[in-house]
Amino acid sequence: MSEKTKKIVGIGLFTAIVIVLQAMAITIRFGIFNISLVLIPIVVGAALYGPLAGAWLGLIFGVVVLFTDASLFLAVNVLGTILTCIVKGAVAGYVAGIVYKAFEKKNRILAVVMAAIVAPICNTGIFLIGCKLFFLETVTGWATAAGYANVGKFMIFGLVGLNFLIEMGINVVLSPVIVRLIKIGKK
């Protein structure tokens, strides 16, 4: 089998994993939002197949989020929800691939760890930017209802804090292990 065929098959398998993991993720909740375990195959795919594969996997993640977990935001601003979901996933995957490539020659494990760190930072950061740009009035209402006097503190501690830390921890632990196992299997 040619390298191109292997890459297409690999990206196809990771695409299916992203769809299944995100569809199942709506059942794993901490606070208002779910934990995105799907960042793991995005990081692994970006490390194995490059930044464009990471962007593709992130895009698929964003599309699945739109259909499974974005109803609160879709009711407020359809275009803002679509942009936020698509951009946060695609950028997280693309940047993970870029970071992996930047560190790969120095140390592959470090490269995966760094990619596993930047993916949730991009994902969460762009989500927060989307909240500020498209949903600030709604999020302010949620903050007030939750007893927060400051919407910024609510966004950090109420919306994303625990989720972000769990996503980051899971990514940093599992992504390097999975990449290493796949690379060992290829030998």
Side-chain angles (χ1 to χ4, degrees):
M1 187 178 327
S2 74
E3 285 304 311
K4 185 177 180 180
T5 302
K6 287 179 184 179
K7 184 175 181 177
I8 291 169
V9 170
I11 293 170
L13 288 171
F14 277 100
T15 300
I17 292 167
V18 165
I19 292 168
V20 170
L21 270 180
Q22 186 55 38
M24 290 176 30
I26 60 173
T27 63
I28 304 170
R29 293 203 175 267
F30 289 90
I32 297 173
F33 298 98
N34 62 306
I35 301 296
S36 294
L37 299 175
V38 73
L39 291 176
I40 297 165
I42 292 171
V43 168
V44 173
L48 295 174
Y49 303 112
L52 291 178
W56 166 257
L57 295 169
L59 175 85
I60 295 301
F61 160 51
V63 170
V64 176
V65 168
L66 281 171
F67 287 106
T68 60
D69 200 34
S71 59
L72 288 173
F73 291 102
L74 282 167
V76 176
N77 184 329
V78 173
L79 182 59
T81 304
I82 292 169
L83 286 172
T84 301
C85 289
I86 298 298
V87 170
K88 76 184 185 75
V91 169
Y94 185 76
V95 172
I98 293 292
V99 167
Y100 178 82
K101 291 289 182 201
F103 287 93
E104 179 182 28
K105 288 187 181 17
K106 294 175 186 165
N107 183 313
R108 283 190 196 158
I109 299 300
L110 174 65
V112 181
V113 168
M114 295 303 291
I117 290 170
V118 300
I121 289 172
C122 290
N123 184 54
T124 302
I126 292 170
F127 171 74
L128 289 172
I129 291 167
C131 284
K132 184 167 173 62
L133 291 175
F134 303 115
F135 312 105
L136 189 57
E137 185 178 325
T138 300
V139 173
T140 301
W142 293 346
T144 303
Y148 284 82
N150 181 305
V151 70
K153 286 183 181 178
F154 172 73
M155 287 171 65
I156 299 298
F157 298 110
L159 285 182
V160 300
L162 182 60
N163 291 23
F164 172 77
L165 293 173
I166 292 170
E167 286 176 7
M168 175 83 71
I170 290 170
N171 272 298
V172 168
V173 170
L174 292 181
S175 294
V177 172
I178 294 168
V179 169
R180 184 159 169 84
L181 288 173
I182 290 171
K183 293 221 182 231
I184 288 170
K186 285 183 167 184
K187 291 181 181 180

